[in-house]
Amino acid sequence: MAETKAAASEDISKFGYKQELKRQLQLRDVVLYGVLFMVIIAPQSIYGEVQIASGGMTPLVYIVGFVAISFTAFAYYHMSKEFPIAGSVYSYVQRGINPHVGFVAGWLILLDYLFVPALLLCMVANWGVALIPGSPWYVWVIVFVAFNAFANIRGMSLQKGVDWILFVLEILTVIIFIALGTKFILGGGGAGAFTMDPIYQPGKVDAHFIASAVSLACLSFLGFDGMSTLAEETYQPEKTIGKGILIALCIMVVVFVAQTYIAALIIPDIADVDPEMGFFNAAMAAGGPIMYKALLVINIVAIGIANIMNAQTASARLLYSMGRDGVLPRFLGKVHPKYATPYMASIVLAIFGLALPFLGMSMLARFVNFGALSSFVLLNVAVFWYFWVKKGERGPAAVLKFIVCPAIGIFILAYVFTGFDVPTYLVGGIWLVVGLVIGFVKSKGYKEVPEAFKNLEV
């Protein structure tokens, strides 16, 4: 009986699709994917800038960011239960509002999913040259693009093994850093004691601080949304995906706060914090040159393999979902006959990975931030529209879940938007206009809908 129920919940024919991808992921695999996509050691690369900008309260910044992004995470939770199919925000807005608005949402988040691997490649290549002075920058790009393209085509069975190895490596790194940092502090180094200063400083936490913290930290949790693209490769996705997103976010905020709290106590005076190497300098103070070098190597491996591999996995599933609907070229919807993976989408992403890093980190970051946050706004609108307007959900719980929470989510995202610079608005605006034109042409004036919407069971 249980197997029959599970099989029924995994039947995607009612959404107009046939099962092509291989189901092999459990809740633990989805959570693992999420924490590695968001990167357990992510704060280490940006710690210096955040610590200075926050006046020494980086842990509080992450706590505030976690609360802020949670409203959008709950939107993913609700929609993943209703529509357990690949495509992430594209599929959710497509089903929650209509196919044409869904295309716009998918087109916008492509800014995130297409360009974030290139952004990460830039970061890894820069660290690689710092680790091995004189090494060719582009060789680092080629090596990581090639490995991750192979892993994505080969499938989740290979990725799961790599993910577990890197998860253990990253967790051990954090534990060792915290242990060395604790020993250093208790030995009289740094702050010389465990204080609340990195978490709360009277007189410094006001509305302006909270607003700035939201802008800084919301973007640090980007990646949780990619978990939703695994729906068609996960057992009982209507239960697993949303739960996995919330569990992964809770794990990440604890890990982010723990390591930045110790780093803040190792170098308590923000005047001594280097904006680029702040965390690594804290590691040097607590563990010496060996810890410093080890952290640099592990960051290269973690970002270059785990983060980029999982980012490309999510990107390939989005392209696959849009390709099979015909809103993007249909060859993107092709599945490998042996590995049951969207291999053509992976190949296209590899080509983008080789070409886009030359745009530079600043330009790529503009693409990523605009794409992610704008599509999140549409997702929150879709939650309200689908549950409150279409389904007619009512009652106090419905008001909270489908009106209040999405409204807060939209408000927070809108505020972060106000902090973007003019080039970001320009880049995002041009991308949006191009998408609207493509959508108009592909749908013959926004009249035709994808084949999956014709003759649906539900």
Side-chain angles (χ1 to χ4, degrees):
M1 179 68 70
E3 290 183 2
T4 302
K5 185 177 180 181
S9 73
E10 293 160 6
D11 179 15
I12 61 173
S13 62
K14 62 183 179 181
F15 299 110
Y17 304 120
K18 64 179 181 178
Q19 183 70 43
E20 296 181 295
L21 306 181
K22 182 180 178 182
R23 290 196 188 275
Q24 55 187 309
L25 302 179
Q26 306 282 356
L27 175 62
R28 63 178 179 272
D29 302 313
V30 174
V31 172
L32 177 67
Y33 170 90
V35 299
L36 288 175
F37 195 162
M38 288 183 275
V39 189
I40 294 169
I41 55 177
Q44 297 178 12
S45 60
I46 60 172
Y47 170 78
E49 293 181 3
V50 177
Q51 181 71 346
I52 293 170
S54 65
M57 292 181 283
T58 299
L60 180 59
V61 166
Y62 284 114
I63 293 171
V64 171
F66 166 75
V67 173
I69 205 66
S70 291
F71 292 98
T72 295
F74 275 111
Y76 271 93
Y77 175 83
H78 296 309
M79 296 303 273
S80 66
K81 291 175 68 176
E82 292 288 313
F83 308 112
I85 50 178
S88 185
V89 68
Y90 161 69
S91 296
Y92 300 155
V93 176
Q94 180 191 56
R95 306 280 168 161
I97 302 178
N98 68 51
H100 306 306
V101 180
F103 170 77
V104 174
W107 180 259
L108 286 170
I109 207 167
L110 273 177
L111 271 173
D112 177 6
Y113 282 22
L114 280 180
F115 291 89
V116 75
L119 175 62
L120 297 170
L121 285 165
C122 276
M123 190 182 301
V124 169
N126 290 341
W127 286 342
V129 174
L131 182 66
I132 306 177
S135 59
W137 182 85
Y138 195 57
V139 169
W140 290 94
V141 173
I142 293 173
V143 168
F144 284 108
V145 166
F147 175 82
N148 288 307
F150 168 77
N152 272 278
I153 293 173
R154 183 60 181 78
M156 294 304 299
S157 56
L158 172 62
Q159 287 184 235
K160 283 196 296 182
V162 174
D163 279 353
W164 277 110
I165 293 171
L166 292 174
F167 172 75
V168 171
L169 180 64
E170 290 184 49
I171 284 293
L172 284 176
T173 299
V174 172
I175 292 172
I176 292 170
F177 171 77
I178 291 174
L180 291 173
T182 299
K183 181 181 178 181
F184 178 77
I185 295 161
L186 293 178
F194 292 101
T195 71
M196 288 295 293
D197 286 350
I199 297 177
Y200 179 74
Q201 296 176 27
K204 291 187 177 181
V205 180
D206 53 18
H208 175 72
F209 175 89
I210 297 297
S212 299
V214 168
S215 297
L216 283 168
C218 263
L219 302 176
S220 298
F221 289 99
L222 291 184
F224 75 88
D225 52 294
M227 299 165 70
S228 62
T229 65
L230 303 179
E232 292 175 35
E233 293 158 276
T234 302
Y235 297 116
Q236 294 187 281
E238 77 289 348
K239 296 180 180 179
T240 303
I241 296 298
K243 186 186 298 183
I245 287 173
L246 298 181
I247 292 173
L249 278 173
C250 289
I251 291 172
M252 295 310 288
V253 70
V254 171
V255 176
F256 284 3
V257 168
Q259 59 190 303
T260 56
Y261 174 74
I262 294 297
L265 293 180
I266 293 173
I267 305 178
D269 189 346
I270 60 173
D272 297 328
V273 175
D274 185 299
E276 295 184 0
M277 301 298 289
F279 196 96
F280 299 99
N281 289 342
M284 171 80 83
I290 294 178
M291 188 63 187
Y292 177 89
K293 284 284 188 181
L295 273 189
L296 194 57
V297 171
I298 290 167
N299 270 271
I300 291 174
V301 172
I303 303 294
I305 296 179
N307 197 198
I308 294 176
M309 181 171 63
N310 289 343
Q312 288 186 336
T313 296
S315 303
R317 273 67 186 166
L318 175 62
L319 290 176
Y320 161 76
S321 186
M322 298 180 78
R324 71 180 175 184
D325 275 348
V327 297
L328 289 181
R330 288 193 179 276
F331 74 86
L332 293 171
K334 289 185 176 294
V335 173
H336 196 283
K338 180 178 180 180
Y339 301 123
T341 56
Y343 74 105
M344 290 303 298
S346 296
I347 291 172
V348 168
L349 287 168
I351 295 171
F352 272 95
L354 292 172
L356 294 179
F358 291 106
L359 291 176
M361 291 183 64
S362 178
M363 178 61 73
L364 290 169
R366 290 189 175 100
F367 277 96
V368 170
N369 295 340
F370 187 96
L373 298 187
S374 57
S375 62
F376 289 174
V377 169
L378 288 177
L379 174 67
N380 279 287
V381 172
V383 169
F384 162 75
W385 192 259
Y386 178 74
F387 288 101
W388 187 265
V389 178
K390 283 189 173 182
K391 292 192 71 176
E393 299 275 0
R394 293 295 184 269
V399 171
L400 177 63
K401 292 189 294 185
F402 309 133
I403 295 181
V404 175
C405 285
I408 294 174
I410 292 171
F411 175 79
I412 291 169
L413 295 167
Y415 174 78
V416 177
F417 250 96
T418 64
F420 290 164
D421 56 16
V422 173
T424 299
Y425 293 125
L426 183 61
V427 165
I430 291 173
W431 182 267
L432 176 59
V433 170
V434 171
L436 291 172
V437 172
I438 292 174
F440 183 87
V441 173
K442 295 288 288 185
S443 65
K444 297 182 179 179
Y446 290 113
K447 295 177 181 178
E448 288 196 357
V449 298
E451 190 66 30
F453 279 78
K454 302 171 183 177
N455 304 315
L456 289 178
E457 294 179 23
V458 293

